[in-house]
PDB file of all heavy atoms in Angstrom:
ATOM      1  N   GLY A 112      31.045-101.563-124.527  1.00 95.00           N
ATOM      2  CA  GLY A 112      30.957-102.884-125.107  1.00 95.00           C
ATOM      3  C   GLY A 112      31.199-102.901-126.590  1.00 95.00           C
ATOM      4  O   GLY A 112      31.587-101.900-127.202  1.00 95.00           O
ATOM      5  N   ALA A 113      30.955-104.057-127.145  1.00 94.00           N
ATOM      6  CA  ALA A 113      31.088-104.285-128.579  1.00 94.00           C
ATOM      7  C   ALA A 113      29.942-105.179-129.000  1.00 94.00           C
ATOM      8  O   ALA A 113      29.445-106.000-128.222  1.00 94.00           O
ATOM      9  CB  ALA A 113      32.424-104.944-128.896  1.00 94.00           C
ATOM     10  N   ASN A 114      29.516-105.004-130.228  1.00 92.00           N
ATOM     11  CA  ASN A 114      28.423-105.810-130.762  1.00 92.00           C
ATOM     12  C   ASN A 114      28.791-106.246-132.170  1.00 92.00           C
ATOM     13  O   ASN A 114      29.349-105.470-132.945  1.00 92.00           O
ATOM     14  CB  ASN A 114      27.131-104.991-130.796  1.00 92.00           C
ATOM     15  CG  ASN A 114      25.904-105.862-130.946  1.00 92.00           C
ATOM     16  OD1 ASN A 114      25.554-106.602-130.040  1.00 92.00           O
ATOM     17  ND2 ASN A 114      25.244-105.768-132.084  1.00 92.00           N
ATOM     18  N   LEU A 115      28.472-107.472-132.467  1.00 87.00           N
ATOM     19  CA  LEU A 115      28.703-108.037-133.786  1.00 87.00           C
ATOM     20  C   LEU A 115      27.353-108.275-134.434  1.00 87.00           C
ATOM     21  O   LEU A 115      26.429-108.749-133.768  1.00 87.00           O
ATOM     22  CB  LEU A 115      29.457-109.367-133.631  1.00 87.00           C
ATOM     23  CG  LEU A 115      30.098-110.000-134.844  1.00 87.00           C
ATOM     24  CD1 LEU A 115      31.151-109.077-135.446  1.00 87.00           C
ATOM     25  CD2 LEU A 115      30.727-111.329-134.458  1.00 87.00           C
ATOM     26  N   ASP A 116      27.224-107.918-135.694  1.00 82.00           N
ATOM     27  CA  ASP A 116      25.931-108.105-136.351  1.00 82.00           C
ATOM     28  C   ASP A 116      25.594-109.591-136.489  1.00 82.00           C
ATOM     29  O   ASP A 116      26.415-110.458-136.222  1.00 82.00           O
ATOM     30  CB  ASP A 116      25.879-107.377-137.700  1.00 82.00           C
ATOM     31  CG  ASP A 116      26.652-108.082-138.809  1.00 82.00           C
ATOM     32  OD1 ASP A 116      27.290-109.126-138.572  1.00 82.00           O
ATOM     33  OD2 ASP A 116      26.621-107.575-139.934  1.00 82.00           O
ATOM     34  N   ARG A 117      24.376-109.867-136.901  1.00 80.00           N
ATOM     35  CA  ARG A 117      23.903-111.261-136.938  1.00 80.00           C
ATOM     36  C   ARG A 117      24.563-112.094-138.016  1.00 80.00           C
ATOM     37  O   ARG A 117      24.469-113.313-138.012  1.00 80.00           O
ATOM     38  CB  ARG A 117      22.393-111.286-137.072  1.00 80.00           C
ATOM     39  CG  ARG A 117      21.900-110.615-138.310  1.00 80.00           C
ATOM     40  CD  ARG A 117      20.403-110.586-138.341  1.00 80.00           C
ATOM     41  NE  ARG A 117      20.000-109.556-139.268  1.00 80.00           N
ATOM     42  CZ  ARG A 117      18.935-108.836-139.136  1.00 80.00           C
ATOM     43  NH1 ARG A 117      18.140-109.035-138.122  1.00 80.00           N
ATOM     44  NH2 ARG A 117      18.636-107.930-140.003  1.00 80.00           N
ATOM     45  N   ASN A 118      25.250-111.445-138.972  1.00 81.00           N
ATOM     46  CA  ASN A 118      25.940-112.194-140.029  1.00 81.00           C
ATOM     47  C   ASN A 118      27.336-112.621-139.618  1.00 81.00           C
ATOM     48  O   ASN A 118      27.881-113.566-140.171  1.00 81.00           O
ATOM     49  CB  ASN A 118      26.011-111.357-141.313  1.00 81.00           C
ATOM     50  CG  ASN A 118      24.636-111.053-141.857  1.00 81.00           C
ATOM     51  OD1 ASN A 118      23.775-111.926-141.891  1.00 81.00           O
ATOM     52  ND2 ASN A 118      24.423-109.819-142.247  1.00 81.00           N
ATOM     53  N   GLY A 119      27.924-111.915-138.672  1.00 80.00           N
ATOM     54  CA  GLY A 119      29.247-112.284-138.171  1.00 80.00           C
ATOM     55  C   GLY A 119      30.351-112.172-139.209  1.00 80.00           C
ATOM     56  O   GLY A 119      31.280-112.970-139.209  1.00 80.00           O
ATOM     57  N   LEU A 120      30.255-111.180-140.082  1.00 81.00           N
ATOM     58  CA  LEU A 120      31.229-111.060-141.165  1.00 81.00           C
ATOM     59  C   LEU A 120      32.553-110.448-140.717  1.00 81.00           C
ATOM     60  O   LEU A 120      33.528-110.501-141.451  1.00 81.00           O
ATOM     61  CB  LEU A 120      30.639-110.234-142.309  1.00 81.00           C
ATOM     62  CG  LEU A 120      29.372-110.837-142.936  1.00 81.00           C
ATOM     63  CD1 LEU A 120      28.812-109.903-143.997  1.00 81.00           C
ATOM     64  CD2 LEU A 120      29.655-112.209-143.510  1.00 81.00           C
ATOM     65  N   ARG A 121      32.599-109.867-139.541  1.00 83.00           N
ATOM     66  CA  ARG A 121      33.838-109.265-139.039  1.00 83.00           C
ATOM     67  C   ARG A 121      34.202-109.986-137.747  1.00 83.00           C
ATOM     68  O   ARG A 121      33.359-110.152-136.875  1.00 83.00           O
ATOM     69  CB  ARG A 121      33.611-107.790-138.776  1.00 83.00           C
ATOM     70  CG  ARG A 121      34.667-107.131-137.976  1.00 83.00           C
ATOM     71  CD  ARG A 121      35.561-106.206-138.653  1.00 83.00           C
ATOM     72  NE  ARG A 121      35.048-105.640-139.860  1.00 83.00           N
ATOM     73  CZ  ARG A 121      35.665-104.709-140.513  1.00 83.00           C
ATOM     74  NH1 ARG A 121      36.782-104.236-140.033  1.00 83.00           N
ATOM     75  NH2 ARG A 121      35.201-104.228-141.620  1.00 83.00           N
ATOM     76  N   PRO A 122      35.449-110.393-137.594  1.00 87.00           N
ATOM     77  CA  PRO A 122      35.820-111.034-136.324  1.00 87.00           C
ATOM     78  C   PRO A 122      35.948-110.019-135.202  1.00 87.00           C
ATOM     79  O   PRO A 122      36.206-108.844-135.436  1.00 87.00           O
ATOM     80  CB  PRO A 122      37.184-111.668-136.640  1.00 87.00           C
ATOM     81  CG  PRO A 122      37.733-110.849-137.759  1.00 87.00           C
ATOM     82  CD  PRO A 122      36.544-110.351-138.549  1.00 87.00           C
ATOM     83  N   CYS A 123      35.728-110.485-133.988  1.00 91.00           N
ATOM     84  CA  CYS A 123      35.972-109.676-132.790  1.00 91.00           C
ATOM     85  C   CYS A 123      36.506-110.618-131.722  1.00 91.00           C
ATOM     86  O   CYS A 123      35.782-111.475-131.230  1.00 91.00           O
ATOM     87  CB  CYS A 123      34.699-108.989-132.304  1.00 91.00           C
ATOM     88  SG  CYS A 123      34.968-108.032-130.791  1.00 91.00           S
ATOM     89  N   ARG A 124      37.773-110.440-131.422  1.00 92.00           N
ATOM     90  CA  ARG A 124      38.403-111.250-130.397  1.00 92.00           C
ATOM     91  C   ARG A 124      38.657-110.378-129.168  1.00 92.00           C
ATOM     92  O   ARG A 124      38.884-109.179-129.298  1.00 92.00           O
ATOM     93  CB  ARG A 124      39.709-111.809-130.925  1.00 92.00           C
ATOM     94  CG  ARG A 124      39.475-112.613-132.200  1.00 92.00           C
ATOM     95  CD  ARG A 124      40.521-113.594-132.464  1.00 92.00           C
ATOM     96  NE  ARG A 124      40.497-114.436-133.612  1.00 92.00           N
ATOM     97  CZ  ARG A 124      39.578-114.641-134.518  1.00 92.00           C
ATOM     98  NH1 ARG A 124      38.458-114.014-134.455  1.00 92.00           N
ATOM     99  NH2 ARG A 124      39.713-115.470-135.515  1.00 92.00           N
ATOM    100  N   TYR A 125      38.617-111.001-127.997  1.00 93.00           N
ATOM    101  CA  TYR A 125      38.829-110.210-126.787  1.00 93.00           C
ATOM    102  C   TYR A 125      39.634-110.988-125.750  1.00 93.00           C
ATOM    103  O   TYR A 125      39.650-112.221-125.747  1.00 93.00           O
ATOM    104  CB  TYR A 125      37.507-109.737-126.181  1.00 93.00           C
ATOM    105  CG  TYR A 125      36.602-110.849-125.710  1.00 93.00           C
ATOM    106  CD1 TYR A 125      36.686-111.345-124.419  1.00 93.00           C
ATOM    107  CD2 TYR A 125      35.653-111.408-126.561  1.00 93.00           C
ATOM    108  CE1 TYR A 125      35.860-112.367-123.987  1.00 93.00           C
ATOM    109  CE2 TYR A 125      34.822-112.424-126.139  1.00 93.00           C
ATOM    110  CZ  TYR A 125      34.927-112.898-124.859  1.00 93.00           C
ATOM    111  OH  TYR A 125      34.115-113.913-124.440  1.00 93.00           O
ATOM    112  N   TYR A 126      40.325-110.217-124.917  1.00 93.00           N
ATOM    113  CA  TYR A 126      41.064-110.728-123.771  1.00 93.00           C
ATOM    114  C   TYR A 126      40.563-110.004-122.532  1.00 93.00           C
ATOM    115  O   TYR A 126      40.276-108.814-122.573  1.00 93.00           O
ATOM    116  CB  TYR A 126      42.564-110.430-123.866  1.00 93.00           C
ATOM    117  CG  TYR A 126      43.311-111.110-124.980  1.00 93.00           C
ATOM    118  CD1 TYR A 126      44.385-110.466-125.585  1.00 93.00           C
ATOM    119  CD2 TYR A 126      42.989-112.381-125.423  1.00 93.00           C
ATOM    120  CE1 TYR A 126      45.106-111.073-126.598  1.00 93.00           C
ATOM    121  CE2 TYR A 126      43.697-112.995-126.438  1.00 93.00           C
ATOM    122  CZ  TYR A 126      44.762-112.337-127.020  1.00 93.00           C
ATOM    123  OH  TYR A 126      45.471-112.933-128.020  1.00 93.00           O
ATOM    124  N   VAL A 127      40.486-110.723-121.422  1.00 94.00           N
ATOM    125  CA  VAL A 127      40.253-110.136-120.105  1.00 94.00           C
ATOM    126  C   VAL A 127      41.523-110.420-119.318  1.00 94.00           C
ATOM    127  O   VAL A 127      41.980-111.560-119.271  1.00 94.00           O
ATOM    128  CB  VAL A 127      39.025-110.757-119.403  1.00 94.00           C
ATOM    129  CG1 VAL A 127      38.833-110.147-118.025  1.00 94.00           C
ATOM    130  CG2 VAL A 127      37.779-110.608-120.266  1.00 94.00           C
ATOM    131  N   THR A 128      42.086-109.369-118.716  1.00 95.00           N
ATOM    132  CA  THR A 128      43.344-109.535-118.006  1.00 95.00           C
ATOM    133  C   THR A 128      43.133-109.545-116.493  1.00 95.00           C
ATOM    134  O   THR A 128      42.077-109.159-115.999  1.00 95.00           O
ATOM    135  CB  THR A 128      44.328-108.395-118.368  1.00 95.00           C
ATOM    136  OG1 THR A 128      43.785-107.154-117.928  1.00 95.00           O
ATOM    137  CG2 THR A 128      44.587-108.354-119.871  1.00 95.00           C
ATOM    138  N   ASP A 129      44.180-109.970-115.777  1.00 96.00           N
ATOM    139  CA  ASP A 129      44.092-110.069-114.318  1.00 96.00           C
ATOM    140  C   ASP A 129      44.109-108.711-113.619  1.00 96.00           C
ATOM    141  O   ASP A 129      43.933-108.636-112.401  1.00 96.00           O
ATOM    142  CB  ASP A 129      45.202-110.972-113.759  1.00 96.00           C
ATOM    143  CG  ASP A 129      46.601-110.470-114.062  1.00 96.00           C
ATOM    144  OD1 ASP A 129      46.758-109.391-114.690  1.00 96.00           O
ATOM    145  OD2 ASP A 129      47.558-111.178-113.685  1.00 96.00           O
ATOM    146  N   ASP A 130      44.297-107.626-114.368  1.00 94.00           N
ATOM    147  CA  ASP A 130      44.216-106.283-113.785  1.00 94.00           C
ATOM    148  C   ASP A 130      42.959-105.554-114.252  1.00 94.00           C
ATOM    149  O   ASP A 130      42.928-104.329-114.336  1.00 94.00           O
ATOM    150  CB  ASP A 130      45.479-105.474-114.073  1.00 94.00           C
ATOM    151  CG  ASP A 130      45.747-105.304-115.562  1.00 94.00           C
ATOM    152  OD1 ASP A 130      45.061-105.954-116.381  1.00 94.00           O
ATOM    153  OD2 ASP A 130      46.644-104.512-115.910  1.00 94.00           O
ATOM    154  N   ASP A 131      41.910-106.341-114.554  1.00 90.00           N
ATOM    155  CA  ASP A 131      40.574-105.822-114.885  1.00 90.00           C
ATOM    156  C   ASP A 131      40.525-104.978-116.160  1.00 90.00           C
ATOM    157  O   ASP A 131      39.794-104.002-116.237  1.00 90.00           O
ATOM    158  CB  ASP A 131      39.978-105.028-113.724  1.00 90.00           C
ATOM    159  CG  ASP A 131      39.672-105.908-112.530  1.00 90.00           C
ATOM    160  OD1 ASP A 131      39.382-107.098-112.746  1.00 90.00           O
ATOM    161  OD2 ASP A 131      39.716-105.416-111.397  1.00 90.00           O
ATOM    162  N   ARG A 132      41.286-105.366-117.140  1.00 91.00           N
ATOM    163  CA  ARG A 132      41.198-104.717-118.454  1.00 91.00           C
ATOM    164  C   ARG A 132      40.574-105.686-119.443  1.00 91.00           C
ATOM    165  O   ARG A 132      40.728-106.894-119.330  1.00 91.00           O
ATOM    166  CB  ARG A 132      42.586-104.314-118.973  1.00 91.00           C
ATOM    167  CG  ARG A 132      43.201-103.153-118.228  1.00 91.00           C
ATOM    168  CD  ARG A 132      44.501-102.724-118.858  1.00 91.00           C
ATOM    169  NE  ARG A 132      45.475-103.799-118.772  1.00 91.00           N
ATOM    170  CZ  ARG A 132      46.465-103.984-119.650  1.00 91.00           C
ATOM    171  NH1 ARG A 132      46.619-103.179-120.671  1.00 91.00           N
ATOM    172  NH2 ARG A 132      47.303-104.980-119.507  1.00 91.00           N
ATOM    173  N   ILE A 133      39.866-105.101-120.399  1.00 92.00           N
ATOM    174  CA  ILE A 133      39.349-105.873-121.531  1.00 92.00           C
ATOM    175  C   ILE A 133      39.902-105.236-122.787  1.00 92.00           C
ATOM    176  O   ILE A 133      39.839-104.015-122.952  1.00 92.00           O
ATOM    177  CB  ILE A 133      37.811-105.863-121.584  1.00 92.00           C
ATOM    178  CG1 ILE A 133      37.229-106.606-120.395  1.00 92.00           C
ATOM    179  CG2 ILE A 133      37.323-106.490-122.875  1.00 92.00           C
ATOM    180  CD1 ILE A 133      35.732-106.679-120.407  1.00 92.00           C
ATOM    181  N   VAL A 134      40.443-106.056-123.634  1.00 92.00           N
ATOM    182  CA  VAL A 134      40.953-105.599-124.918  1.00 92.00           C
ATOM    183  C   VAL A 134      40.174-106.348-125.980  1.00 92.00           C
ATOM    184  O   VAL A 134      40.095-107.580-125.951  1.00 92.00           O
ATOM    185  CB  VAL A 134      42.460-105.906-125.064  1.00 92.00           C
ATOM    186  CG1 VAL A 134      42.961-105.484-126.437  1.00 92.00           C
ATOM    187  CG2 VAL A 134      43.257-105.242-123.955  1.00 92.00           C
ATOM    188  N   CYS A 135      39.536-105.605-126.880  1.00 91.00           N
ATOM    189  CA  CYS A 135      38.840-106.277-127.969  1.00 91.00           C
ATOM    190  C   CYS A 135      39.214-105.601-129.275  1.00 91.00           C
ATOM    191  O   CYS A 135      39.405-104.390-129.326  1.00 91.00           O
ATOM    192  CB  CYS A 135      37.335-106.335-127.741  1.00 91.00           C
ATOM    193  SG  CYS A 135      36.330-105.039-128.389  1.00 91.00           S
ATOM    194  N   ALA A 136      39.361-106.402-130.307  1.00 90.00           N
ATOM    195  CA  ALA A 136      39.760-105.891-131.612  1.00 90.00           C
ATOM    196  C   ALA A 136      39.400-106.912-132.678  1.00 90.00           C
ATOM    197  O   ALA A 136      39.109-108.071-132.374  1.00 90.00           O
ATOM    198  CB  ALA A 136      41.265-105.619-131.640  1.00 90.00           C
TER     199      ALA A 136
END
């Protein structure tokens, strides 16, 4: 997984694909 701190100073975007992949960056 991924976790963002409570200040949210860094973005984290994610995609879930139809072949069961998750991409987050």
Side-chain angles (χ1 to χ4, degrees):
N114 197 68
L115 194 61
D116 76 358
R117 60 184 160 213
N118 297 317
L120 299 176
R121 166 108 23 173
C123 178
R124 303 203 181 351
Y125 63 89
Y126 294 147
V127 179
T128 64
D129 61 1
D130 59 351
D131 293 331
R132 289 185 297 151
I133 293 182
V134 177
C135 92

